[in-house]
Coordinates of all heavy atoms in Angstrom, one line a residue:
Chain P
L28 N -8.2 -17.3 18.0 CA -7.7 -18.0 16.8 C -6.6 -19.0 17.2 O -5.7 -18.8 18.0 CB -7.1 -17.0 15.8 CG -8.1 -16.0 15.4 CD1 -7.4 -14.8 14.8 CD2 -9.1 -16.6 14.3
V57 N 2.7 -25.7 15.0 CA 3.5 -26.0 13.8 C 3.1 -27.5 13.3 O 3.3 -28.4 14.1 CB 5.0 -25.9 14.0 CG1 5.8 -26.3 12.8 CG2 5.3 -24.4 14.4
T102 N 4.4 -37.8 -7.4 CA 4.1 -36.4 -7.2 C 2.6 -36.2 -7.3 O 2.0 -35.4 -6.5 CB 4.8 -35.6 -8.3 OG1 6.2 -35.9 -8.3 CG2 4.6 -34.1 -8.1
M104 N 0.2 -38.2 -6.7 CA -0.5 -38.7 -5.5 C -0.2 -37.8 -4.3 O -1.1 -37.6 -3.4 CB -0.1 -40.1 -5.2 CG -0.8 -41.0 -6.3 SD -0.4 -42.8 -6.2 CE -1.1 -43.2 -4.6
G131 N -21.5 -25.6 15.3 CA -20.1 -25.4 14.8 C -20.2 -25.1 13.3 O -21.2 -25.3 12.6
R166 N -22.2 -31.7 4.2 CA -23.1 -30.6 4.6 C -24.5 -31.2 4.8 O -25.2 -30.9 5.8 CB -23.1 -29.6 3.4 CG -24.1 -28.5 3.6 CD -23.8 -27.3 2.7 NE -23.4 -27.7 1.4 CZ -22.1 -27.4 0.9 NH1 -21.2 -26.8 1.7 NH2 -21.8 -27.8 -0.3
S171 N -28.8 -31.5 9.9 CA -29.8 -31.7 10.9 C -29.2 -31.7 12.3 O -29.9 -31.7 13.3 CB -30.5 -33.0 10.7 OG -29.5 -34.1 10.7
M176 N -21.6 -26.3 7.0 CA -20.5 -26.6 6.2 C -20.4 -25.6 5.1 O -21.4 -25.5 4.3 CB -20.7 -28.0 5.7 CG -19.5 -28.5 4.8 SD -18.4 -29.4 5.9 CE -16.9 -29.0 5.1
T178 N -18.5 -24.4 1.6 CA -17.5 -24.7 0.6 C -17.2 -23.4 -0.1 O -18.1 -22.7 -0.7 CB -18.1 -25.7 -0.4 OG1 -18.6 -26.8 0.3 CG2 -17.0 -26.2 -1.4
S200 N -8.9 -8.7 -4.2 CA -7.8 -8.8 -3.3 C -8.1 -9.8 -2.2 O -9.3 -10.1 -1.9 CB -7.6 -7.4 -2.7 OG -8.7 -7.1 -1.8

Side-chain angles (χ1 to χ4, degrees):
Chain P
L28 302 159
V57 178
T102 307
M104 289 178 61
R166 178 162 39 247
S171 60
M176 182 90 214
T178 310
S200 69

